[in-house]
Amino acid sequence: MLLVYCPYCDVERAETEFSCRGQAHIARPSDPSQTSDEDWVNYLYMRANTKGIYAERWRHIHGCGRFFNAVRDTVSDKFLKFYKAGEPMPDLEALAKEAGK
């Protein structure tokens, strides 16, 4: 079982209280009316499936209900950092070095 930290509630709880919502920091097209079908497909469905250090979006569904981001090593399932939605993505290479990857 994973332990996930909610940066809003300031608590660490079992992963069953949370829902992983996929890759973090996906930019919505700036002008949807001028976006091609191909670009919409890329925005809606295409995600990186990184083996290693990966930024994910999580939701504390059985707590505050808010979204936040986490950096996790997908090989070991170890979380390296948790941060609030809207905060910039940390340097993944620096986090990987700190984790010895």
Side-chain angles (χ1 to χ4, degrees):
M1 170 176 47
L2 294 175
L3 292 176
V4 181
Y5 172 77
C6 177
Y8 294 102
C9 296
D10 195 27
V11 296
E12 186 175 63
R13 297 284 190 256
E15 68 181 295
T16 56
E17 280 198 22
F18 300 86
S19 176
C20 182
R21 307 307 294 171
Q23 185 177 354
H25 304 285
I26 303 296
R28 182 179 175 88
S30 58
D31 188 359
S33 66
Q34 299 299 316
T35 302
S36 70
D37 289 345
E38 182 179 344
D39 288 341
W40 270 115
V41 167
N42 288 333
Y43 167 69
L44 292 172
Y45 302 110
M46 304 307 290
R47 299 292 183 258
N49 190 12
T50 303
K51 179 179 180 180
I53 309 301
Y54 189 66
E56 300 172 321
R57 184 176 169 105
W58 285 75
R59 184 171 181 223
H60 194 178
I61 55 174
H62 295 295
C64 64
R66 297 180 80 175
F67 284 94
F68 61 92
N69 296 317
V71 176
R72 182 175 65 91
D73 183 347
T74 61
V75 175
S76 67
D77 269 346
K78 181 180 178 185
F79 286 101
L80 304 176
K81 184 169 183 69
F82 296 95
Y83 54 104
K84 295 177 179 178
E87 292 180 359
M89 183 168 54
D91 182 353
L92 299 182
E93 289 182 23
L95 287 173
K97 282 185 181 179
E98 288 175 22
K101 297 282 177 184

